[in-house]
Amino acid sequence: MSTTELDLTAVPGIAAHALSIAAFTPSGCFDWPGRIAATVTLQGCPWKCAYCSNPEGHDPAAPGRLAWSEVRDQLEAHRGTVEAVVFGGGEPARQDGLVAAVREARSLGYAVGLHTMGAHPGRLASVLPELDWVSFDLKGTPEMYTRITGEDTAGYQAWASLELIQHSGVDYEVSFTVDPTVHTREDVFATVRHAIRGGFHAPVLEGPRARRASREYRAALGGRGLYDVIAHDDLPDLARR
Ligand code: SF4
């Protein structure tokens, strides 16, 4: 991968108060399995997955709902009871203030995780050295991304990002959202094969969380989930959520 192919426009010098923050959850144990973590949800995503559970978080131009100073105050207040902070979205790596916010969270004594789907490999590269853990949202083989995200370059960006994560040495998990309106059983097998042959961690399989997706998507889904695409005894070595 050459640097000219990457979006190398991250600006680590930008202060954390530049972040556009859509939501803050002070404590939970879902976003970083095994850890009690606060979650900072950042605004904006360049992709348009039909199953998105956060459609109101897409618009990168939408203003944030709370300031970093409010989040930081709450992080200060929860020191000792919450052990980690996870930055998610949308796509958190797209925001210039992320590196500074991660450093501030670390300076407060928190371990820091990131949820990313990999749309901005260059920006991701600048924040990876600051992280303790990454959850990577995998959507298929590179060829499957356009029909899921609506973006022609998404497959290249995502798998380039996964490669950066792997080479960074940061602890990571890969979660593969199996969409019954898009993926066939063979697509699931092909994606898992592609990941394992690439030397990446085996994906954790999960179905779409469609409760807040569009009415059209929920109608197309018709209540189907992971086991409407694969059998219960398929891929027995892989974890599921
Ligand atoms: S990449 Fe994630 S946040 Fe963006 S549209 Fe898809 S599911 Fe939603």
Side-chain angles (χ1 to χ4, degrees):
M1 183 191 328
S2 79
T3 52
T4 54
E5 292 172 291
L6 295 174
D7 166 20
L8 289 173
T9 52
V11 187
I14 298 287
H17 64 69
L19 287 180
S20 176
I21 301 171
F24 175 67
T25 307
S27 178
C29 31
F30 179 73
D31 288 320
W32 189 338
R35 296 255 190 164
I36 299 170
T39 302
V40 185
T41 304
L42 301 187
Q43 180 71 29
C45 177
W47 294 349
K48 297 177 186 66
C49 313
Y51 58 73
C52 186
S53 61
N54 183 25
E56 62 279 11
H58 285 181
D59 184 0
R65 296 204 181 100
L66 68 169
W68 171 251
S69 57
E70 298 171 71
V71 171
R72 195 190 149 101
D73 286 349
Q74 294 212 44
L75 291 177
E76 294 232 34
H78 286 87
R79 283 161 94 167
T81 54
V82 175
E83 50 184 335
V85 180
V86 174
F87 290 85
E91 173 47 61
R94 60 169 285 282
Q95 294 210 25
D96 292 335
L98 179 65
V99 171
V102 168
R103 287 180 180 158
E104 286 193 37
R106 291 185 71 89
S107 73
L108 293 172
Y110 288 98
V112 180
L114 184 81
H115 282 200
T116 181
M117 43 53 162
H120 302 287
R123 289 170 174 266
L124 179 67
S126 66
V127 74
L128 279 171
E130 315 287 338
L131 299 172
D132 298 291
W133 178 75
V134 177
S135 177
F136 183 82
D137 172 20
L138 180 66
K139 298 176 187 298
T141 62
E143 298 73 31
M144 295 172 199
Y145 267 76
T146 301
R147 66 186 147 120
I148 296 167
T149 67
E151 287 294 329
D152 289 343
T153 56
Y156 164 75
Q157 292 162 334
W159 283 87
S161 289
L162 185 53
E163 208 169 314
L164 287 167
I165 293 166
Q166 183 195 38
H167 288 142
S168 72
V170 176
D171 184 26
Y172 74 97
E173 71 158 28
V174 179
S175 68
F176 174 20
T177 306
V178 176
D179 179 356
T181 73
V182 174
H183 294 115
T184 63
R185 181 170 177 265
E186 182 45 45
D187 286 339
V188 176
F189 278 73
T191 303
V192 171
R193 264 199 311 271
H194 196 81
I196 290 174
R197 283 183 186 155
F200 305 106
H201 292 345
V204 177
L205 303 177
E206 57 184 39
R209 299 193 194 114
R211 194 169 52 83
R212 292 167 62 213
S214 69
R215 184 194 302 252
E216 293 75 22
Y217 177 76
R218 282 183 281 124
L221 187 63
R224 288 175 294 166
L226 177 63
Y227 294 114
D228 293 294
V229 182
I230 62 167
H232 281 268
D233 54 0
D234 280 340
L235 303 164
D237 296 334
L238 300 193
R240 293 122 207 271
R241 263 199 294 260

